[in-house]
Amino acid sequence: MSTESACPLTARDYKSELKPVWCPGCGDFSVLMAITKAMADVGRRPEEIAVISGIGCSSRVPAYTNCYGFHGVHGRALPLATGLKLSRPDLLVIAAGGDGDGYSIGGNHFLHACRRNVDLTYIVMDNQVYGMTKGQPSPTTPPEWDSALVPGGTGLRPFHPLVIALAAGANFVARSFSGDPANTAQMIVEAIRHPGFSLLEILSPCVTFRPEERDWAKQVHPAAVDETSDRARAARRVLTDDGFNTGILFRGDRAPYQPSVNLEVVSSVDFETEFQP
Amino acid sequence: MTITDRATLLAHAYAIESEAAERYEELASQMHTSNNHEVGDLFSKLAEIEAKHAAELSLEHGAANVTLAATDYSWGSLESPEVIPFGDVHHLMSPRQALTQALAAERRARDFYEHHAANIPEGDLRTLATEFAAEEAEHVRMVQAWLSRLDSSNDEEREDMDQPMPL
Amino acid sequence: MTGSKAQTIAMIGSGGAGVMTAAEILLRVAARAGYFGLMTKSFGPQIRGGEAAAFVTLSTSPVEIQGDRIDLLFAIDWNNAERFAGELNIASDALVISGLPGTNPPAIVTDHRPALVEINLKSLTRTHKGTRPNMVALGTVAGALGLPKDVVMELVDERLASKGEATMSQGRTAIGLGYIEAEGLDSMPLAPSEGAAPRWIISGNQAAGYGAMRGGVRFAAAYPITPATEILEWLAPRLQKAGGLLVQAEDELASINMIIGGSFGGAAVLTATSGPGLALMSESIGLAVAAEIPLLVIDVMRGGPSTGIPTKSEQSDLNIAVYGLHGDAPHVVTAPNSIADCLFTAQWSTHLAESMQVPVIMLSDQSFGQALGVVERPAELAFATRRLVVEAPAENYQRYAVTASGVSPMAIPGTPGGQYTADGLEHNETGIPSSGVEDHNRQLEKRLTKVTNFDYGDHWAQIEGDGPAAIITWGSTTGPVRQAMRRIDPHGERLRLISLRLISPAQPECLARALAGCERIMVVEQSQMAQFFGHLKAQFDLPSHADLYARPGPQPFRADEIAAKLEDWLS
Ligand SMILES: Cc1ncc(C[n+]2csc(CCOP(=O)(O)OP(=O)(O)O)c2C)c(N)n1
Ligand code: SF4
């Protein structure tokens, strides 16, 4: 790759040679396209970007980009991304994964990432199912959805990631639909540019285990009202909407967590005096 | 929205063809990855055709040089009309199903130009839009002909005999 | 003046009586006066106001463990003192001072029939306004031991400086009162010290933190847990001063992953925890093995399993540290064998992690971690610690290229042309996921090679003496064993000590060499299930005639226990 910056990079420059192994029809293909497009729009060079994920179909994303990537363990993308961003604030760090990865096994990290408000962008490809392990209910699956592991459905109220993110302190909250890659890309750009922890929840159908999600294309609609910076209003709105409202729903002004580091680096030998009796 | 100038029309036209080419290429790659080589090859061929159209547009009208900001493209749909949405394919789709999707895509493109032609006042711009609509109508006929030549013995409902594989 | 070479002092009291502060000042006074020493603490379960006991052993020669018996006990009060049964092992010629006349010492004290005197702290401190019982007690103890009064005054002044001249003066008065009380006692002076070579006063946890910093650690993330928290609390402000950072994570799953992220970004990193936290981290340590991410994970062991006994030691995390990862996951497990060695081993472990791009688990334990020792100033060490990184990757850069050493140059994010995706999935040399037989075998081989072929030098163990009977031990059991050996074999003619610092990967050839000429072998460890013994048998070709002395915590080993065992074994 050339290092001249004269020629602007295009989405293609952010795509790796690796062919995705997703099922044809999977929403994640569009999301990948939107991610690479957003990267080109943002204009940071691929080597200055790191994409961090856990495990799941959606978590395969890092290797499909031409950036630095980390495909870690199930549920732990956010702490890994946090550690990287805190130690390397110069990098653009994006975490990505599924609803099971982010809201179930990684649920605690999700809360604390919102609360900690490190300057990260978190892209959740929510297909309301565990795709990779063959169709078990996730925290966002409707209660009546029947599956081999949970016959008759969970009977549980679905997790509401956006409201929870708002309550926990996320600084940017948006929802989009994978089948709308142009707007999704635009929202990713906005999420990246907004300081602090940005959650972008992307409805991304699993055509294999939730074929009925193909109908999402007909159900989604742009949010009828403009984005707000009023957390309570945003929460009330997403709590009462139909779940298919897309757009930027909240844009806050919390200062990102950026621990003040003393740049005057002292040699650790200087600590020895304190051990003298 | 109505298109009121040549640059906007050309930018849309170029986006329609190049995005379709790119999408077919992507879908071809997906089909090959899923070992559906028949449809993969078909999508590759469609990708070539769309790429050629894009090149022609560029050659004849300099269309490749006119681009709009992402938000200035207006399709009246989630994506540009000639792409097959990612969600509308299946790993076991038959060539007939693939071509049916392609036919729908060509029809959407034709309808897009026809709609705009109808809304543009008499003049060069309208002539150009009508010309593009006619081209797409030609593609519709071409895909229809292709479809009718398909061997129907190959057409039975394809079903995945295996459970999905957990990874 | 003659005197004892070593004395062990206990100070007990309840309800914030200040025994810990007094004992710590006592240790510092002794250190300034040229003595070696060790202070350990014991508490009741209350966070505030519970019973507390501080134990200080002072000596003219290096001290690794608390003395067998208590020579001088000062009880500010006797509330719930029976809680310390087992720890208040009073010598029969001990001096016991009760600060609260009219109350009776518990049987665990009187059973030993020590000399008992009473000092009325209450009336003394009432008469001398503003003086505190613990400072009077400190003065009494320091006086009885023959420690220089001016040094005590100097330290009390330093301690109270921030509270103003009035408080300082009250402190000095209290110390003076104590010294006067001491005059009426049978004195039990320490032998003169042999001069003051540069000494440090440091806890194992501080030493571990500092060692890691010397090794280059600049980023840490952790979740608090006893007895590891002091490492973190020591590091947090100092890392900041050194340009680094410590983050308090939401749990151990987060902390381990945060440091994986930091290390992926190029920083030398650390987390510290104890058994329960290590159990939570094990999946991600496996990730670091697979993705070849250098990490230092310090486990300050405590009694287990589960919440177990948080404030007491046990050597029972060996199995989880060595064998607790899923898959064939070569990594390194080290263990310091003294407070000062916590510094060396932490620095060395960082060096190992960075050099081999591998997670290193360092098994420290509560008895080092929370004990404060007066030690010789540790030597400056400079390992040539450098992570192998690539600055200008070639066109076809391969992150996991198979090399002779097994270590491959790592591209740090930001390096143009080095982009790769680190992966816990098995991968090929480029880093692309692969479940192929060939790739799995090559990568497994590479990851094993880099830790087995590494040159660990002489640091794998500490060996002392060359007698025909060898004692193999590790970690905090080393101190009591060493002390016991000095007692029964002062010239190192009958016994040989082999204390393993590198627990895994096993170095069977090294051990065989160290055992050359040995007729008898005994393994000593603090684990009910003899985890170390099992490990030696499985990985080190331990001769079948090797004997074992193993028992669980929470009672620390004392030299007399081990000495008795060894005498018995040798006869
Ligand atoms: C500790 C652990 N438990 C379980 C799994 C198995 N597992 C892999 S992916 C997955 C769920 C994935 O669901 P989601 O995050 O929604 O992603 P999707 O596949 O739907 O994109 C599970 C349970 C694992 N890899 N690790
Ligand atoms: S199983 Fe579902 S989520 Fe996974 S790749 Fe297939 S369609 Fe996508």
Side-chain angles (χ1 to χ4, degrees):
Chain A
M1 173 155 304
S2 87
T3 43
E4 288 127 51
S5 55
C7 167
L9 297 172
T10 68
R12 252 171 215 274
D13 297 312
Y14 295 89
K15 255 190 99 172
S16 77
E17 310 272 285
L18 214 57
K19 300 263 173 269
V21 292
W22 292 314
C23 311
C26 179
D28 298 349
F29 282 107
S30 318
V31 177
L32 173 62
M33 191 169 98
I35 290 175
T36 54
K37 192 166 175 323
M39 286 173 175
D41 286 356
V42 170
R44 294 289 301 270
R45 299 198 51 84
E47 68 268 18
E48 298 167 347
I49 306 176
V51 186
I52 312 298
S53 72
I55 296 292
C57 296
S58 40
S59 292
R60 295 238 177 206
V61 139
Y64 302 148
T65 74
N66 185 33
C67 306
Y68 279 93
F70 208 126
H71 185 207
V73 294
H74 194 30
R76 316 294 165 213
L78 286 175
L80 207 153
T82 300
L84 178 60
K85 180 70 186 180
L86 289 177
S87 67
R88 290 289 307 276
D90 57 310
L91 299 174
L92 164 56
V93 182
I94 298 172
D99 40 305
D101 193 72
Y103 306 146
S104 189
I105 190 166
N108 194 32
H109 307 311
F110 176 61
L111 294 180
H112 291 279
C114 293
R115 189 182 146 241
R116 199 175 272 121
N117 200 33
V118 171
D119 189 14
L120 297 172
T121 294
Y122 184 33
I123 296 172
V124 179
M125 287 157 257
D126 191 348
N127 53 16
Q128 302 183 356
V129 75
Y130 287 4
M132 178 164 268
T133 45
K134 285 214 305 184
Q136 298 80 24
S138 86
T140 51
T141 305
E144 64 285 354
W145 188 71
D146 189 50
S147 64
L149 189 63
V150 190
T154 61
L156 300 177
R157 178 194 161 91
F159 186 84
H160 203 317
L162 302 186
V163 183
I164 290 163
L166 284 165
N171 212 27
F172 177 101
V173 173
R175 186 196 279 131
S176 77
F177 171 56
S178 62
D180 183 0
N183 277 316
T184 301
Q186 191 51 37
M187 277 189 255
I188 298 174
V189 171
E190 299 279 337
I192 289 172
R193 291 199 175 135
H194 195 70
F197 184 80
S198 301
L199 170 69
L200 175 58
E201 150 97 358
I202 306 180
L203 299 167
S204 179
C206 171
V207 294
T208 297
F209 297 106
R210 299 293 307 273
E212 67 279 17
E213 291 175 350
R214 287 180 193 268
D215 288 344
W216 281 355
K218 294 177 213 128
Q219 290 166 271
V220 293
H221 51 84
V225 278
D226 286 341
E227 61 181 73
T228 172
S229 58
D230 178 338
R231 200 175 280 277
R233 229 170 109 206
R236 216 171 310 120
R237 205 184 276 166
V238 287
L239 200 53
T240 52
D241 76 5
D242 61 357
F244 290 100
N245 249 334
T246 60
I248 296 169
L249 305 164
F250 173 74
R251 206 192 279 265
D253 56 6
R254 284 182 67 202
Y257 175 69
Q258 216 134 43
S260 59
V261 271
N262 186 344
L263 294 179
E264 194 186 320
V265 177
V266 297
S267 133
S268 43
V269 180
D270 295 0
F271 297 121
E272 292 191 1
T273 48
E274 73 180 83
F275 299 128
Q276 277 147 26
Chain B
M1 99 163 201
T2 42
I3 290 178
T4 52
D5 62 297
R6 187 182 154 83
T8 307
L9 180 63
L10 284 179
H12 278 79
Y14 188 73
I16 286 178
E17 302 303 328
S18 57
E19 286 180 14
E22 211 173 292
R23 181 61 51 90
Y24 279 128
E25 213 178 285
E26 180 69 44
L27 294 176
S29 153
Q30 289 182 22
M31 290 301 152
H32 286 301
T33 306
S34 308
N35 290 310
N36 186 345
H37 298 296
E38 203 179 6
V39 174
D41 290 343
L42 193 150
F43 281 147
S44 292
K45 202 176 295 173
L46 285 161
E48 260 170 54
I49 294 171
E50 301 298 349
K52 215 167 89 207
H53 291 160
E56 282 164 10
L57 267 174
S58 179
L59 206 66
E60 287 168 29
H61 305 283
N65 302 326
V66 277
T67 48
L68 303 177
T71 45
D72 289 343
Y73 288 94
S74 169
W75 305 115
S77 54
L78 293 177
E79 295 195 79
S80 64
E82 216 174 36
V83 302
I84 296 180
F86 276 121
D88 289 356
V89 298
H90 186 260
H91 71 294
L92 288 177
M93 75 195 310
S94 65
R96 179 174 301 281
Q97 287 169 326
L99 280 177
T100 306
Q101 291 285 353
L103 180 62
E106 298 296 345
R107 282 188 172 136
R108 285 193 296 270
R110 180 199 61 196
D111 295 350
F112 175 85
Y113 290 123
E114 281 180 354
H115 164 81
H116 281 289
N119 286 313
I120 297 171
E122 203 80 51
D124 284 355
L125 194 60
R126 181 169 182 171
T127 313
L128 191 60
T130 314
E131 201 180 292
F132 288 161
E135 268 170 32
E136 294 301 339
E138 178 53 34
H139 299 163
V140 169
R141 279 189 292 278
M142 185 188 83
V143 178
Q144 272 171 331
W146 196 347
L147 257 172
S148 66
R149 286 197 306 273
L150 271 191
D151 181 359
S152 58
S153 67
N154 213 352
D155 242 17
E156 80 282 7
E157 192 56 36
R158 296 180 181 199
E159 202 192 315
D160 198 327
M161 306 304 248
D162 291 315
Q163 290 285 309
M165 252 147 335
L167 288 167
Chain C
M1 183 171 84
T2 54
S4 309
K5 286 198 173 323
Q7 298 284 19
T8 295
I9 303 96
M11 299 183 82
I12 67 172
S14 65
V19 294
M20 295 303 173
T21 309
E24 200 199 311
I25 296 177
L26 177 69
L27 184 72
R28 284 184 192 277
V29 169
R32 284 197 191 169
Y35 296 98
F36 290 93
L38 179 80
M39 172 181 167
T40 59
K41 305 170 188 175
S42 188
F43 304 95
Q46 300 91 326
I47 299 283
R48 292 307 302 244
E51 315 73 60
F55 303 94
V56 179
T57 297
L58 302 177
S59 171
T60 51
S61 54
V63 185
E64 281 188 86
I65 56 163
Q66 190 184 316
D68 300 334
R69 306 221 188 294
I70 288 156
D71 305 300
L72 172 57
L73 168 64
F74 198 122
I76 291 182
D77 62 63
W78 295 107
N79 292 339
N80 283 328
E82 52 295 349
R83 187 185 292 285
F84 300 112
E87 292 174 280
L88 283 181
N89 201 354
I90 312 282
S92 52
D93 58 351
L95 173 62
V96 173
I97 307 169
S98 171
L100 201 59
T103 56
N104 291 325
I108 52 161
V109 173
T110 50
D111 282 354
H112 298 280
R113 303 177 178 282
L116 190 65
V117 295
E118 292 185 336
I119 294 178
N120 197 331
L121 291 176
K122 227 179 215 160
S123 80
L124 276 173
T125 52
R126 214 174 278 148
T127 324
H128 301 271
K129 224 176 146 304
T131 57
R132 306 220 173 265
N134 66 330
M135 289 296 117
V136 179
L138 169 62
T140 311
V141 171
L145 293 169
L147 291 171
K149 190 160 139 193
D150 55 329
V151 180
V152 186
M153 295 298 190
E154 176 184 292
L155 260 153
V156 167
D157 278 354
E158 285 172 25
R159 264 305 151 99
L160 300 176
S162 63
K163 301 203 170 150
E165 179 51 43
T167 313
M168 281 160 74
S169 143
Q170 287 156 356
R172 284 193 298 266
T173 306
I175 297 296
L177 288 172
Y179 265 84
I180 293 167
E181 291 296 328
E183 282 167 18
L185 304 174
D186 287 339
S187 79
M188 40 189 316
L190 279 162
S193 68
E194 281 151 26
R199 302 265 160 80
W200 278 9
I201 185 159
I202 193 168
S203 74
N205 279 346
Q206 291 172 336
Y210 187 41
M213 276 191 81
R214 270 190 176 180
V217 166
R218 288 295 178 274
F219 182 72
Y223 191 72
I225 186 167
T226 304
T229 308
E230 293 94 341
I231 297 184
L232 311 168
E233 291 180 338
W234 187 86
L235 276 173
R238 290 163 185 86
L239 274 175
Q240 224 170 55
K241 270 196 202 147
L245 175 66
L246 181 142
V247 193
Q248 179 179 334
E250 56 270 27
D251 55 30
E252 286 84 353
L253 304 159
S255 50
I256 186 78
N257 279 281
M258 283 182 182
I259 65 166
I260 291 174
S263 183
F264 173 69
V269 299
L270 154 165
T271 189
T273 188
S274 191
L278 183 64
L280 284 178
M281 290 178 187
S282 72
E283 182 196 19
S284 297
I285 298 176
L287 169 65
V289 170
E292 303 197 38
I293 303 293
L295 305 178
L296 172 59
V297 179
I298 301 178
D299 172 7
V300 186
M301 293 183 289
R302 63 193 218 181
S306 188
T307 309
I309 311 178
T311 53
K312 292 281 185 272
S313 267
E314 202 166 68
Q315 297 182 298
S316 50
D317 288 350
L318 183 144
N319 279 349
I320 191 178
V322 176
Y323 302 105
L325 305 187
H326 55 289
D328 287 322
H331 63 288
V332 177
V333 179
T334 58
N337 58 35
S338 70
I339 290 179
D341 197 49
C342 287
L343 192 151
F344 171 85
T345 302
Q347 186 175 351
W348 185 50
S349 299
T350 310
H351 165 69
L352 297 179
E354 289 288 314
S355 309
M356 289 184 268
Q357 300 178 12
V358 77
V360 175
I361 301 174
M362 172 172 128
L363 293 174
S364 178
D365 71 34
Q366 184 276 339
S367 73
F368 294 151
Q370 297 192 316
L372 201 54
V374 180
V375 301
E376 309 262 22
R377 180 179 185 277
E380 290 281 344
L381 301 159
F383 293 108
T385 300
R386 256 200 52 223
R387 192 188 294 193
L388 188 61
V389 298
V390 55
E391 257 136 46
E395 186 73 39
N396 53 353
Y397 166 68
Q398 294 188 307
R399 165 65 185 101
Y400 300 106
V402 172
T403 61
S405 67
V407 179
S408 350
M410 185 170 179
I412 304 299
T415 311
Q419 295 100 299
Y420 73 101
T421 292
D423 210 317
L425 279 171
E426 188 55 285
H427 39 257
N428 62 16
E429 292 181 65
T430 308
I432 293 170
S434 161
S435 49
V437 180
E438 181 77 356
D439 286 326
H440 188 43
N441 286 340
R442 280 167 70 83
Q443 292 296 316
L444 279 175
E445 183 65 31
K446 157 187 169 30
R447 294 192 293 255
L448 185 60
T449 302
K450 69 179 184 181
V451 302
T452 49
N453 287 10
F454 188 82
D455 180 9
Y456 297 92
D458 292 337
H459 304 313
W460 72 278
Q462 209 156 359
I463 301 168
E464 286 162 28
D466 55 4
I471 298 148
I472 309 179
T473 190
W474 72 290
S476 62
T477 304
T478 308
V481 168
R482 195 182 270 141
Q483 196 98 350
M485 283 173 61
R486 283 202 190 117
R487 214 170 279 176
I488 62 177
D489 180 30
H491 305 293
E493 288 156 352
R494 293 154 74 199
L495 291 168
R496 185 182 307 187
L497 169 69
I498 304 171
S499 170
L500 262 65
R501 205 187 262 123
L502 182 65
I503 306 298
S504 184
Q507 307 290 307
E509 306 80 21
C510 292
L511 184 66
R513 237 177 289 129
L515 284 173
C518 277
E519 289 147 20
R520 307 186 61 188
I521 298 164
M522 161 111 92
V523 175
V524 186
E525 64 175 307
Q526 194 183 28
S527 147
Q528 179 214 25
M529 292 170 69
Q531 297 184 11
F532 183 56
F533 188 62
H535 178 55
L536 291 173
K537 283 210 288 192
Q539 309 290 338
F540 284 80
D541 295 330
L542 187 71
S544 59
H545 61 264
D547 294 309
L548 169 68
Y549 180 50
R551 66 157 178 80
Q555 201 70 282
F557 281 122
R558 297 274 177 259
D560 61 346
E561 176 186 353
I562 307 273
K565 198 79 206 168
L566 292 181
E567 294 276 25
D568 189 38
W569 179 61
L570 288 173
S571 62

